[in-house]
Amino acid sequence: AMERDMFPSSQRHGIALATLTALLFAGSDALIKQLLLFAPLLLVLWLRYLFQIGVMSLWLVARRQASHRVGPWQLQLMRCSFLTVSSVSGYLALSHVSLAVYTALMMMAPVLSVVLGRVVLKETVSTAQWLCVLLGLLGMLAVLRPGLSTWNAHMLWPVACAIAYAAFQVTSRKLMASADIVISNFLLAVFISTVTGFALLIWPVNWTAIGQELGFQWWVMLGGMCLFATVGQLTLTATHQKSTLSVAAPFAYLQIVFAVIIGLLFFGHWPDNMTLLGTALIAVGGATSAWLNGKSPAKAQLPPTTL
């Protein structure tokens, strides 16, 4: 009864949807990691965004009141470029580091966006938000441990992914004041699929050998990854509609928990104690930052979704 009083029905639905979104995106990332064992990341990324073009095209056709607000093309280009860098870095990270480490470091993006929002957009940052940034940075250092025997240079890929995604979020906040979100996401998918498609044309890859290796199971996993990502985007949208972000956003950090469990069950990866401590610090700092940002409509956002 106390829980029902604390969270009204719509808020509980939002929390459930945020939790489901976290599970779907953790599953999608796990499938990406598996797909990359058998195919170049450019191919997987290209197919991923071709699928999104199809979905967004259907969405645009189905909308009764179409909006064609594109906003400043410079911001659109910056937004697309930042997510391209984030996606490529993320796929490289998933190729070389554990799912749990990737997810934890990727979840630094909302914390880093606080810093970028202050520097680039001159947004006001409270003392509590700066403390969240500090917690996140301490957690990142605990996971990375530069200079120690556990140091792995490949762990810089998820850091690069998080920085680029934070820049993407800040650019999105600026752009969405004058652009339609559906049109913007359609342009995003077209941009990334075009860039990766062009790269595939000039990349020296033995496509015949790859085609022979990609069996029916690989294509099923690809379909599952695209399905998880698409349904996750839908539940993410529903989360925005059902609950305030100050309530729902912290629950999105359950993606870290799901990533640890999936990594153990399917990849045999279990983080060491220092990594678990760093992951916990990132989760606390990120979830608190998301809760604080959720109280400000101008800064409201859920943590990173999927690539």
Side-chain angles (χ1 to χ4, degrees), residues 130-150:
W130 282 123
L131 289 175
C132 291
V133 172
L134 179 60
L135 275 180
L137 292 177
L138 289 174
M140 183 177 69
L141 289 175
V143 173
L144 294 177
R145 279 164 282 176
L148 300 181
S149 59
T150 55

Side-chain angles (χ1 to χ4, degrees), residues 6-199:
M6 185 180 301
F7 296 120
S9 177
S10 62
Q11 298 284 22
R12 293 200 301 274
H13 291 160
I15 290 170
L17 287 167
T19 303
L20 176 59
T21 301
L23 178 59
L24 288 168
F25 287 145
S28 175
D29 289 339
L31 286 171
I32 291 172
K33 186 173 182 65
Q34 190 66 26
L35 290 167
L36 292 174
L37 295 175
F38 305 98
L41 69 87
L42 285 174
L43 176 62
V44 179
L45 192 58
W46 179 63
L47 291 171
R48 156 78 176 87
Y49 279 97
L50 275 185
F51 185 87
Q52 182 166 322
I53 287 176
V55 172
M56 298 306 299
S57 298
L58 292 175
W59 194 339
L60 286 171
V61 170
R63 286 205 311 179
R64 295 181 179 178
Q65 295 180 344
S67 172
H68 301 288
R69 293 183 299 117
V70 176
W73 66 266
Q74 297 94 331
L75 286 178
Q76 286 285 7
L77 183 59
M78 287 175 60
R79 183 173 185 262
C80 293
S81 300
F82 285 139
L83 191 63
T84 302
V85 173
S86 180
S87 297
V88 172
S89 300
Y91 276 49
L92 285 168
L94 286 167
S95 299
H96 295 99
V97 303
S98 71
L99 185 63
V101 168
Y102 161 76
T103 305
L105 293 174
M106 179 59 179
M107 286 294 185
M108 281 288 297
V111 175
L112 295 174
S113 71
V114 172
V115 180
L116 289 178
R118 173 58 182 164
V119 174
V120 178
L121 302 182
K122 308 303 180 184
E123 295 175 341
T124 302
V125 179
S126 67
T127 302
Q129 287 173 314
W130 282 123
L131 289 175
C132 291
V133 172
L134 179 60
L135 275 180
L137 292 177
L138 289 174
M140 183 177 69
L141 289 175
V143 173
L144 294 177
R145 279 164 282 176
L148 300 181
S149 59
T150 55
W151 163 250
N152 182 352
H154 287 305
M155 286 196 276
L156 290 177
W157 287 122
V159 175
C161 180
I163 293 172
Y165 198 92
F168 166 78
Q169 288 182 318
V170 171
T171 307
S172 296
R173 289 210 298 267
K174 184 73 172 177
L175 179 65
M176 288 309 111
S178 57
D180 178 73
I181 183 64
V182 179
I183 291 289
S184 297
N185 286 341
F186 174 76
L187 293 175
L188 187 67
V190 170
F191 181 90
I192 296 179
S193 62
T194 301
V195 170
T196 52
F198 181 76

